[in-house]
Amino acid sequence: MSAVVKNAKTMYEVFYIEKENNMKKNVIVGQSGGPTAVINCSLYGVVTGGYSDARVDKVYGMVNGIEGFLKGKFLDFRKMKEDGSLEKLTTTPGAFLGACRYKLPEDLDDPVYPEILKKLDDLNVGYFCYIGGNDSMDTVSKLSRYAAKTDSRIRFMGVPKTIDNDLVLTDHTPGYGSAARYVAETVREIVYDAAVYNTKAVTIVEIMGRDAGWLTAASVLAREEDRKNPGYIYLPEVDFDTVTFLEQVKRGLEVQNSLVVCVSEGLHDAAGRLICEYDSETGVDSFGHKMLAGCGKYLERLVRERLGVKVRSVELNVCQRCSAAMMSETDRQEAVQAGAFAVRSATAGETGKMVACRRKTGTYGIDCVLEDVNLICNQVKKVPLEWIINDGSDLAQAFIDYAYPLIQGSVAIPVGADGLPAFIKR
Amino acid sequence: MSAVVKNAKTMYEVFYIEKENNMKKNVIVGQSGGPTAVINCSLYGVVTGGYSDARVDKVYGMVNGIEGFLKGKFLDFRKMKEDGSLEKLTTTPGAFLGACRYKLPEDLDDPVYPEILKKLDDLNVGYFCYIGGNDSMDTVSKLSRYAAKTDSRIRFMGVPKTIDNDLVLTDHTPGYGSAARYVAETVREIVYDAAVYNTKAVTIVEIMGRDAGWLTAASVLAREEDRKNPGYIYLPEVDFDTVTFLEQVKRGLEVQNSLVVCVSEGLHDAAGRLICEYDSETGVDSFGHKMLAGCGKYLERLVRERLGVKVRSVELNVCQRCSAAMMSETDRQEAVQAGAFAVRSATAGETGKMVACRRKTGTYGIDCVLEDVNLICNQVKKVPLEWIINDGSDLAQAFIDYAYPLIQGSVAIPVGADGLPAFIKR
């Protein structure tokens, strides 16, 4: 068989032979990096896509990604398929399989590569799907390159996932829509909360995203027709200047009592120094360590000190990536679609690719397409500078048009006997 | 008329005379203190209750509470009644009328009292409803006592509202159920988020409630059948000891990799010193001010320093009180009921009372009853010590039985053209 395959000239021929031989292979899927509200939707897409594919026999899951798999940790989805619980994945946040942050060695001659391939061969795996962000695509890139080098027939596919929306070559990334919805909805609620008193006050909301400001930018969607709040939005794509910031806040307070400002955790000055590191110049905590609060906390103190107004900072923190309650239905569907497309592409012979979202023209919708994973891993897609306006303090309509469809639709999360969301655990 | 009223012997006679004269009076309602998810539901209850009462003509709202009213700021709900937008109040967080933090003088001979009464008389107000917590009940107490002293016929009623659940003489307080649901649901999501990596890690969730731990206690509702997380819960009702805390965390990490701990912002040691003030001994921020992070942040550093494990702290912050997405339907209905009962009691001649919730026996439900507002204001109801178990680190089943019904039911929030919750503004 392997000789025949090696001599085959085209993909078509390879599959023709495979089909002839009626050789079913197994799927294995893993999750890696930080969780999102819909990472388990992509898992659901891979698993159900696998089971509905005539070329697939079993579907396995790596527990704690490639790191756990190397330690022999994996599971078989058969029981969940049989008891009908797979669907619950689509309403469960976190990473059902567990994740890892594990970077494979650059050197493809490292012994870890044959070790992984042997473990996959032992399980009769033909199709490997890895759900994650930049670092996970790096894993897919390395494994697919090693497989090519060694004539392995295993196909390696990447399924995009990140709340940061920073993967290149895709219109957007599953996980972003739900996180963006969380940010928009929560900032709107904070705007209403902050407006209750009739005194000058500033509320600073710190939003995730160290290198790219996509998630912070989504706070503009919270703004209502009166155009007042959030008044200013600062992304890490633009150098942050505290003098300009204070002037803008001062101006904002002249037109309204309650000013809400959204800042990215990754704000930095022109020298590249993070704003959240400013305090460490002087501050030492009770353990003798240099103080490192978030940039929201730093800016809170700056505003209080310099403008003498009431000020509060709110760090949205992990809720941005784990809120099932504010999941976007659009995001959920696309995450499932991306997972299913990955396994379908793998069984069709594709390898070393990431599923990408291509936006249709006209009415919103996406097509799943494939992009070379080697061109994606370790790259960062930033918010285009032309979408950042008003001296780096606001977003253009083009961004709103881009992000608006991604947050649409809400999802009914099943409720358990305790009246709270009923999630599924492995 | 006033002479007749003064000579009247019983409430019944007063109303008989009033009815005979067919003298309709107006209602005025205000909101005070921090907002909750359902404070506008109580407003809705007062306004619709007023309009459906034959003894009521107009319904006014004080803008920014008694403080704004003194500056002449109020509105008439007529337009909202006519355009059918009142219902939107029941799905809008924040305080629709705006709030204030304004304490009336202790001395009832202060000129502010006749000033307020005159303003109310000028508007032909007969029924005054104030929605708020301890401080707002103090306002109701003082105004009703001043009215009694001066033979004013205006009735003053308090409608309870607080996320802290710290009002005495009521089973619970509208606003608590929704905030408790937010805490329970969010902590459950955080537990799923924190479990994704296969490494020892502690997540500390800081929850509101300075003097009473009701809201922090609600995090126990997030715990699933496996009884693992949240592993420990600390309330301000019990003196906090960092040595015991570290021992408990260490023990918790022996049985599970991911340990979630919930702490009240008001934790203090046996000497009464707030844990969040510990840092100020040594820390000075870059503005030369003593450092004051939250107690979650302090405990995060303590755990990192002493146990050397991965640790993160999450401060739930204002989202606890302003999340419409996690509103409890039970809480919403009870808040409306309390508002309607307040205005009905006022027009029936009651004054100087707060509406209280009395729990029915058997299947969960409440009756609204009246309690003397003078016995409520400036008191704090704490979590009973017998409900706090395991060396002050957990809650007894009795608390779960108490809190469980209050968080039940979710509310569909209307969505606007932008796909986000459509709230109402004045």
Side-chain angles (χ1 to χ4, degrees):
Chain A
M1 165 78 195
S2 126
V4 177
V5 169
K6 278 187 189 170
N7 295 333
K9 289 284 182 293
T10 66
M11 283 288 184
Y12 175 77
E13 284 169 18
V14 171
F15 293 112
Y16 188 74
I17 294 158
E18 232 181 49
K19 204 179 165 191
E20 284 296 285
N21 292 353
N22 196 23
M23 257 190 65
K24 286 196 177 190
K25 286 279 185 182
N26 298 330
V27 167
I28 197 161
V29 55
Q31 296 175 307
S32 175
T36 76
V38 300
I39 184 172
N40 292 325
C41 297
S42 290
L43 178 62
Y44 174 82
V46 171
V47 176
T48 53
Y51 281 128
S52 66
D53 194 312
R55 283 161 294 201
V56 171
D57 181 15
K58 293 179 179 168
V59 181
Y60 294 117
M62 295 174 240
V63 173
N64 291 117
I66 194 74
E67 189 179 22
F69 182 66
L70 271 165
K71 294 176 186 156
K73 288 167 66 187
F74 65 94
L75 55 78
D76 189 326
F77 280 102
R78 187 172 54 89
K79 198 175 152 287
M80 285 177 70
K81 184 197 174 199
E82 286 168 0
D83 69 16
S85 62
L86 282 174
E87 180 102 23
K88 289 183 188 158
L89 288 171
T90 66
T91 47
T92 295
F96 176 80
L97 289 172
C100 67
R101 292 200 183 276
Y102 184 80
K103 206 169 164 76
L104 286 172
E106 297 301 322
D107 180 5
L108 294 185
D109 291 327
D110 190 282
V112 76
Y113 291 102
E115 187 186 346
I116 293 172
L117 272 276
K118 173 155 191 328
K119 282 181 188 290
L120 294 173
D121 281 332
D122 289 348
L123 286 174
N124 194 32
V125 166
Y127 316 109
F128 177 108
C129 295
Y130 213 48
I131 310 168
N134 291 316
D135 294 341
S136 313
M137 294 311 132
D138 181 70
T139 297
V140 175
S141 162
K142 285 168 178 163
L143 287 173
S144 63
R145 282 187 283 126
Y146 178 78
K149 225 177 78 159
T150 57
D151 291 330
S152 163
R153 295 282 316 288
I154 303 172
R155 283 91 185 195
F156 293 90
M157 293 294 301
V159 185
K161 172 267 354 171
T162 164
I163 61 165
D164 293 327
N165 201 37
D166 60 353
L167 291 172
V168 298
L169 298 183
T170 180
D171 178 77
H172 59 278
T173 310
Y176 174 64
S178 294
R181 186 183 173 90
Y182 181 89
V183 166
E185 197 162 327
T186 303
V187 168
R188 179 168 293 179
E189 289 175 343
I190 290 173
V191 165
Y192 274 75
D193 183 87
V196 305
Y197 297 116
N198 191 30
T199 43
K200 295 276 175 207
V202 179
T203 306
I204 298 168
V205 183
E206 182 185 319
I207 297 166
M208 279 180 165
R210 197 144 278 255
D211 302 314
W214 294 102
L215 207 46
T216 305
S219 65
V220 74
L221 301 170
R223 196 183 285 155
E224 295 179 296
E225 278 165 13
D226 62 13
R227 312 289 302 155
K228 276 190 179 168
N229 272 317
Y232 302 101
I233 299 165
Y234 302 95
L235 313 189
E237 278 79 357
V238 177
D239 295 337
F240 186 81
D241 176 58
T242 53
V243 174
T244 310
F245 166 76
L246 286 168
E247 277 166 11
Q248 287 168 330
V249 167
K250 215 171 152 182
R251 211 180 313 139
L253 284 172
E254 282 163 13
V255 297
Q256 59 190 327
N257 276 332
S258 171
L259 175 67
V260 176
V261 173
C262 294
V263 300
S264 162
E265 61 173 339
L267 290 185
H268 55 80
D269 62 21
R273 180 132 172 277
L274 286 170
I275 303 304
C276 67
E277 286 174 352
Y278 275 24
D279 251 337
S280 66
E281 276 172 20
T282 50
V284 177
D285 67 23
S286 52
F287 307 106
H289 294 155
K290 282 194 169 185
M291 219 176 100
L292 251 191
C295 90
K297 201 45 114 181
Y298 176 81
L299 294 173
E300 174 192 324
R301 289 190 292 237
L302 183 74
V303 168
R304 186 177 297 120
E305 175 80 8
R306 300 293 165 79
L307 303 183
V309 292
K310 203 178 130 191
V311 54
R312 173 196 282 275
S313 67
V314 182
E315 188 186 348
L316 296 190
N317 216 312
V318 294
C319 304
Q320 289 161 87
R321 68 183 187 204
C322 67
S323 167
M326 297 194 198
M327 203 185 276
S328 145
E329 174 63 20
T330 304
D331 191 27
R332 187 171 84 120
Q333 287 176 9
E334 291 178 357
V336 174
Q337 189 181 346
F341 190 77
V343 76
R344 191 160 67 242
S345 303
T347 63
E350 296 284 356
T351 189
K353 302 279 167 65
M354 185 190 83
V355 175
C357 301
R358 183 180 292 160
R359 194 180 290 234
K360 293 177 182 170
T361 49
T363 311
Y364 177 79
I366 62 153
D367 289 315
C368 284
V369 295
L370 296 179
E371 297 288 349
D372 184 348
V373 76
N374 301 297
L375 303 177
I376 293 168
C377 56
N378 310 314
Q379 302 290 316
V380 175
K381 184 177 75 174
K382 301 199 174 196
V383 177
L385 288 178
E386 60 270 27
W387 287 4
I388 306 173
I389 58 173
N390 293 356
D391 288 331
S393 70
D394 209 344
L395 277 298
Q397 185 63 36
F399 172 78
I400 297 175
D401 296 340
Y402 165 83
Y404 166 81
L406 312 181
I407 67 161
Q408 298 305 309
S410 51
V411 177
I413 306 293
V415 167
D418 60 5
L420 291 174
F423 301 141
I424 191 171
K425 267 187 198 148
R426 67 164 193 278
Chain B
M1 165 75 194
S2 124
V4 177
V5 169
K6 279 186 190 172
N7 294 333
K9 291 283 182 295
T10 66
M11 284 290 187
Y12 175 76
E13 284 169 19
V14 171
F15 292 116
Y16 188 72
I17 295 158
E18 235 182 47
K19 204 179 163 192
E20 283 297 283
N21 294 353
N22 197 22
M23 256 190 68
K24 287 196 177 190
K25 287 279 183 179
N26 298 330
V27 167
I28 196 161
V29 54
Q31 295 174 308
S32 174
T36 77
V38 300
I39 185 171
N40 292 325
C41 297
S42 290
L43 179 62
Y44 174 81
V46 171
V47 175
T48 53
Y51 281 128
S52 65
D53 194 311
R55 284 160 293 202
V56 171
D57 181 16
K58 292 178 179 167
V59 181
Y60 295 118
M62 297 173 238
V63 172
N64 290 115
I66 194 75
E67 188 178 23
F69 181 66
L70 272 165
K71 292 175 187 157
K73 287 167 67 185
F74 65 94
L75 56 79
D76 188 326
F77 281 101
R78 188 172 53 91
K79 197 173 152 289
M80 284 177 71
K81 183 195 172 198
E82 285 167 359
D83 68 17
S85 61
L86 283 175
E87 181 102 24
K88 288 183 190 159
L89 288 172
T90 67
T91 47
T92 296
F96 176 79
L97 288 172
C100 67
R101 293 200 183 275
Y102 183 80
K103 206 168 166 74
L104 286 171
E106 297 301 322
D107 180 5
L108 295 184
D109 291 327
D110 191 283
V112 76
Y113 290 103
E115 186 185 347
I116 293 172
L117 273 276
K118 175 158 191 326
K119 282 182 189 290
L120 293 173
D121 281 333
D122 289 350
L123 286 173
N124 194 32
V125 167
Y127 317 108
F128 177 108
C129 295
Y130 213 48
I131 309 167
N134 291 315
D135 293 343
S136 311
M137 294 312 131
D138 181 70
T139 297
V140 174
S141 163
K142 285 167 177 162
L143 288 173
S144 63
R145 284 186 282 128
Y146 179 78
K149 225 178 77 160
T150 56
D151 292 329
S152 163
R153 293 284 316 288
I154 302 171
R155 282 93 186 193
F156 294 90
M157 293 296 299
V159 185
K161 171 266 355 170
T162 164
I163 60 165
D164 294 326
N165 201 38
D166 60 353
L167 292 172
V168 297
L169 298 182
T170 180
D171 178 78
H172 60 277
T173 309
Y176 174 64
S178 295
R181 187 184 173 90
Y182 180 89
V183 167
E185 197 162 328
T186 304
V187 168
R188 179 168 292 180
E189 289 174 343
I190 289 173
V191 165
Y192 274 75
D193 182 86
V196 305
Y197 297 117
N198 191 29
T199 44
K200 295 275 174 206
V202 179
T203 307
I204 298 168
V205 184
E206 183 185 319
I207 297 166
M208 279 180 167
R210 198 145 276 256
D211 301 313
W214 295 102
L215 207 47
T216 304
S219 64
V220 75
L221 302 170
R223 195 184 287 156
E224 294 179 297
E225 279 164 12
D226 62 11
R227 314 289 301 157
K228 277 191 181 166
N229 272 318
Y232 301 101
I233 300 165
Y234 301 95
L235 313 189
E237 278 80 358
V238 175
D239 295 337
F240 186 80
D241 175 59
T242 52
V243 175
T244 310
F245 167 76
L246 286 169
E247 278 165 12
Q248 287 167 332
V249 168
K250 215 172 153 183
R251 211 179 315 141
L253 283 172
E254 282 163 15
V255 297
Q256 59 190 328
N257 275 333
S258 171
L259 176 67
V260 176
V261 172
C262 294
V263 300
S264 163
E265 62 174 338
L267 289 187
H268 56 79
D269 61 21
R273 183 134 170 275
L274 286 171
I275 303 304
C276 67
E277 287 175 351
Y278 274 25
D279 251 338
S280 65
E281 275 171 21
T282 49
V284 177
D285 67 22
S286 54
F287 307 107
H289 294 154
K290 283 194 169 188
M291 220 176 101
L292 251 192
C295 89
K297 201 46 116 185
Y298 175 80
L299 293 174
E300 174 192 323
R301 290 190 293 236
L302 182 74
V303 168
R304 186 177 297 120
E305 174 79 11
R306 301 291 166 81
L307 304 183
V309 294
K310 204 179 131 191
V311 53
R312 175 195 280 277
S313 67
V314 182
E315 189 187 345
L316 296 190
N317 217 312
V318 295
C319 305
Q320 290 162 88
R321 68 182 189 206
C322 67
S323 166
M326 298 195 199
M327 203 185 277
S328 146
E329 174 63 20
T330 304
D331 191 27
R332 187 171 84 121
Q333 288 176 9
E334 292 178 356
V336 174
Q337 189 181 345
F341 189 77
V343 75
R344 192 160 67 242
S345 303
T347 62
E350 296 284 355
T351 190
K353 302 280 167 62
M354 184 189 86
V355 175
C357 302
R358 183 180 293 161
R359 194 180 288 234
K360 293 176 184 170
T361 50
T363 311
Y364 178 79
I366 61 153
D367 289 316
C368 284
V369 294
L370 297 179
E371 297 287 351
D372 183 349
V373 77
N374 301 296
L375 303 177
I376 294 168
C377 57
N378 309 316
Q379 302 291 316
V380 175
K381 184 178 73 175
K382 302 199 173 195
V383 177
L385 288 179
E386 61 270 25
W387 287 4
I388 306 173
I389 58 172
N390 294 354
D391 288 330
S393 71
D394 209 344
L395 276 298
Q397 184 64 36
F399 172 79
I400 298 175
D401 296 340
Y402 165 84
Y404 167 80
L406 312 181
I407 67 162
Q408 298 306 309
S410 51
V411 177
I413 306 293
V415 167
D418 59 7
L420 291 174
F423 300 141
I424 190 171
K425 269 188 196 145
R426 66 164 194 276

